Amino acid sequence: PAAGSDCCCRVMEPLLRCGSPATRTRAAAGRRGTRAACAAAGLGLLLLGCLLLCSRPGSRLLSYCGRALLIQLLPYWDWTLYSNSDCLIRNPYYFESGLESLQLADCISVCQRYPKVESLHRVDPKVFLQNYLRQNLPLIITDGAEEWVAQREFTVPFLTRLYSDHPALQNTKVCSYWDSHHSLENRPGAFLEEVHRQRLDQWAIQWKNCNKAAAKVIRAFYQRPYFLPPVVELAESNWLLMASGAEDGAMENTFVKVRDHDGDLLMWIAQLQGVFEIQLLPKGICASRCTHYTLQLSPGETVAVPLQMWEVQYRPLSSISIGLAATGNWLQDPR
């Protein structure tokens, strides 16, 4: 029996030793040490990756390895479908721009049912979206710019001083510049200085403030048009349209087209001074089915034009005419 008990004790001794507090403490310390070593290794790899990305040789090496890996994956997964796509995830609410979505029936519906551009006061944004914007119908909003500072301040002398003195305007290049005298400088300030000194008779000038700082200076003089629904996202840039006609309203010069819309779907033009005669020309498949619209804008009025179907051109009907314009896109929200 004594020999049997000694044998049993020898068998149980390793189990008892493993279950002892000292053994458990050593095991826990070992696990903590392993976790600390893994964390240190992970942190080291992360730092190494950051160093490789920040250094030019390292970033080139990673780029080369990434391209090699993608080439090897190509037989199993065609990732070029995502690489060549404009959007990784399609937005179901985005309205596709372009004439490809405009049908001949849409042209006939608009041109036959609406012989002239309507004028409305206190326009509800929902009504504008449903009845005009979605139907490619232009609309005159008679109170579209009534409370704007630009309507009171924007004159030839004021704009001459603004573009000559403001640092964000005097040293910034503008986009889509055009004037009737084909100036070489392409600077609104220089041309307006000639106008201010009465060295020019009949003239016309237009430009787009595509620089963010310059566009922001002009935006300080007007607000977002109240009739635009929230689904319309305005571009950061804005336009100034200026022209001079004869005192009696007779015009010798031709219409001036507003170009470079950047594919936007909407343009609004607010009349600040004088009177513009505006023509809206059907384009694309609608050109053969529709005639143009002709309208006049008086100070405080705004015309909203869906650019998917119409092109815009203008000329002055007063001695000095000044307009402000901007473009935007809109999302086809759930109806």
Side-chain angles (χ1 to χ4, degrees), residues 145 147-154 158-159 162-163 166 169 214-224 238 240 272 324:
E147 303 299 326
W148 290 1
V149 176
Q151 189 185 355
R152 301 190 302 268
E153 300 288 342
F154 277 20
F158 177 83
L159 290 172
L162 186 66
Y163 272 84
H166 200 289
L169 299 177
K216 186 176 180 179
V217 172
I218 301 301
R219 281 201 302 273
F221 294 92
Y222 70 94
Q223 299 85 38
R224 175 187 172 93
N238 42 48
L240 277 169
L272 305 178
L324 178 67

Side-chain angles (χ1 to χ4, degrees), residues 68-181:
L69 177 61
L70 288 175
I71 292 173
Q72 296 298 322
L73 286 176
L74 195 55
Y76 308 100
W77 176 46
D78 187 9
W79 46 264
T80 59
L81 297 176
Y82 299 95
S83 176
N84 298 327
S85 176
D86 293 333
C87 298
L88 184 62
I89 301 175
R90 182 175 177 81
N91 184 354
Y93 298 115
Y94 184 71
F95 180 76
E96 295 288 347
S97 62
L99 293 174
E100 64 275 3
S101 60
L102 193 65
Q103 304 298 321
L104 188 60
D106 300 326
C107 307
I108 297 174
S109 174
V110 169
C111 300
Q112 290 185 353
R113 292 170 54 192
Y114 300 94
K116 66 176 184 178
V117 179
E118 297 182 356
S119 298
L120 292 179
H121 185 75
R122 295 181 181 177
V123 181
D124 188 311
K126 292 182 179 180
V127 173
F128 173 70
L129 175 65
Q130 298 286 355
N131 297 349
Y132 295 93
L133 191 54
R134 282 195 172 126
Q135 310 301 325
N136 286 305
L137 281 174
L139 177 68
I140 298 174
I141 301 91
T142 57
D143 58 343
E146 280 188 350
E147 303 299 326
W148 290 1
V149 176
Q151 189 185 355
R152 301 190 302 268
E153 300 288 342
F154 277 20
T155 60
V156 171
F158 177 83
L159 290 172
T160 303
R161 292 194 304 270
L162 186 66
Y163 272 84
S164 299
D165 300 338
H166 200 289
L169 299 177
Q170 62 182 176
N171 298 321
T172 301
K173 290 185 178 181
V174 299
C175 297
S176 304
Y177 178 90
W178 177 90
D179 69 62
S180 55
H181 288 64

